[in-house]
Amino acid sequence: MMQISITERAAAAVRESTTDAFIRLRVSANKGGCSGWRWELETESLESQQQENDLIFLSNKIEIIVNKEMLHNVIGETIIDYTSANIVEQGFVFMRSNGQQCGCGESFTPVQEVCLP
């Protein structure tokens, strides 16, 4: 089964970025960028309503929520990491098991060609 996970370094960055100890990280994508799709990360409270097609993964004590169709058709299996190599390239990075990503790391090609809204 495809899943999304997060490294301990990225999980620590999520925890440091919020004062709310009870959050989920929603991973999604929108059309755009030089490779066709752009990553999107949002935090949600644990009390927020889960959508019908949402999947939840627990990784390094962070709940990651993603739409099932988005995971299987666009995003694919992914590991979220965090880099602080330098001040310009600091932030979350996404390592995918399939599909391509542009050199800037902010956009990627979908797992398969889809027509999602």
Side-chain angles (χ1 to χ4, degrees), residues 30-38 106-107:
N30 287 314
K31 290 184 179 182
C34 55
S35 292
W37 290 81
R38 294 182 65 95
E106 292 183 14
S107 69

Side-chain angles (χ1 to χ4, degrees), residues 48-84:
S48 63
Q49 281 295 102
Q50 181 178 344
Q51 303 298 316
E52 183 178 332
N53 287 330
D54 283 346
L55 298 172
I56 297 179
F57 302 100
L58 182 62
S59 179
N60 283 307
K61 299 179 184 174
I62 298 287
E63 282 191 9
I64 301 168
I65 191 166
V66 62
N67 176 279
K68 182 179 181 178
E69 289 181 42
M70 182 68 68
L71 175 65
H72 292 286
N73 297 322
V74 178
I75 296 173
E77 190 148 347
T78 303
I79 299 171
I80 303 167
D81 197 5
Y82 187 84
T83 183
S84 56

Side-chain angles (χ1 to χ4, degrees), residues 13-31:
V14 169
R15 285 189 287 272
E16 289 172 11
S17 70
T18 182
T19 57
D20 186 355
F22 305 103
I23 60 161
R24 289 183 178 136
L25 186 63
R26 179 173 289 277
V27 178
S28 62
N30 287 314
K31 290 184 179 182

